[in-house]
Amino acid sequence: MTDRDDVPFDLASMRKQYRAEGLSETELAATPVEQFARWFKQAAMDGGLFEPNAMIVSTADAEGRTSARTVLLKHFDEHGFVFYTNYGSRKARDLAENPYVSLLFPWHPMARQVIVTGVARRTGRDETAAYFRTRPHGSQLGAWASAQSSVVSSRADLDAAYAELAARYPEGEQVPVPPHWGGFRVAAQTVEFWQGRENRLHDRLRYVEQTDGGWRVERLSP
């Protein structure tokens, strides 16, 4: 047990009072992608966020053991939300066993969150290659140098692997797309828009996918 006197902050009293303005059903766009685009633009331009496209990706393996990590969103449209990773990483191994995934965009400075649940599928190699070519040269090399999520003996070994690749593929020379690296597209089944409100009576409006391809909107109690 931690001695209360050793804790530098009184965690029980740490809280912020959120704003009075909320989110109503009449303000929502027709689809969650349209609504996400609205909020994302505000987050990117006016939200004061370091990386507005950062999202927490939560997965579970075949036994239900969960894990989470922060990943950057690289594309979104009516077909889903796309991120890229090493296919040998823990998240990719989880998704191979259990494709159900949750994405959380924690836009705390705006007292907003967006929570997506859905199914992840790998992107095609052409799409992966097209995105890989847009990455900085160093990031392309890094995709080769890192066996993501595996144990590495030291930082020196990782740096040595990168240096070897940098010598093999100097700046200006095309780096091949790693066969073990690529994208996942998360096809949304639900998308919740969470707006912080006063007295912890937050607005939570959730789009739920329907069998005909449309969306039902429901309000959740905070």
Side-chain angles (χ1 to χ4, degrees):
M1 297 263 317
T2 301
D3 190 323
R4 288 179 64 88
D5 293 336
D6 294 335
V7 178
F9 304 104
D10 182 2
L11 297 179
S13 66
M14 293 179 69
R15 60 177 56 85
K16 296 288 186 182
Q17 183 67 283
Y18 298 140
R19 66 187 193 180
E21 308 88 57
L23 179 66
S24 70
E25 288 83 348
T26 58
E27 296 173 326
L28 287 179
T31 70
V33 171
E34 293 175 56
Q35 183 63 35
F36 182 83
R38 289 180 187 175
W39 270 25
F40 185 81
K41 182 178 180 180
Q42 293 173 3
M45 298 182 66
D46 308 316
L49 294 158
F50 175 61
E51 287 185 315
N53 62 325
M55 60 185 182
I56 299 167
V57 178
S58 298
T59 58
D61 64 16
E63 283 71 48
R65 293 171 296 198
T66 59
S67 62
R69 73 289 293 161
T70 302
V71 176
L72 296 180
L73 176 71
K74 288 301 176 180
H75 179 73
F76 70 90
D77 58 24
E78 65 275 9
H79 301 295
F81 299 80
V82 178
F83 66 90
Y84 292 86
T85 188
N86 187 309
Y87 284 145
S89 66
R90 180 174 179 177
K91 73 178 84 62
R93 295 197 306 270
D94 282 357
L95 292 172
E97 298 176 350
N98 177 0
Y100 293 98
V101 62
S102 175
L103 313 176
L104 168 64
F105 294 86
W107 296 333
H108 299 310
M110 306 176 72
R112 284 178 175 177
Q113 302 178 70
V114 179
I115 306 160
V116 179
T117 65
V119 176
R121 295 285 185 264
R122 289 189 182 190
T123 59
R125 293 309 294 173
D126 289 346
E127 184 176 355
T128 289
Y131 169 70
F132 188 79
R133 297 289 172 230
T134 70
R135 287 165 62 93
H137 182 74
S139 296
Q140 293 181 4
L141 296 178
W144 279 100
S146 172
Q148 195 175 96
S149 300
S150 65
V151 175
V152 60
S153 58
S154 69
R155 175 72 198 200
D157 285 353
L158 183 62
D159 290 340
Y162 181 90
E164 181 182 340
L165 286 159
R168 189 186 312 170
Y169 302 107
E171 189 77 42
E173 185 168 333
Q174 181 167 289
V175 180
V177 181
H180 56 268
W181 187 94
F184 280 100
R185 173 173 283 101
V186 178
Q189 296 176 326
T190 70
V191 185
E192 177 185 334
F193 293 86
W194 184 102
Q195 175 64 69
R197 296 291 303 274
E198 290 181 329
N199 305 314
R200 296 299 185 261
L201 296 177
H202 314 307
D203 286 325
R204 299 176 59 189
L205 298 181
R206 180 171 64 185
Y207 292 81
V208 180
E209 185 183 31
Q210 302 297 285
T211 55
D212 62 1
W215 298 91
R216 181 182 79 253
V217 174
E218 53 192 18
R219 177 174 287 270
L220 304 178
S221 176

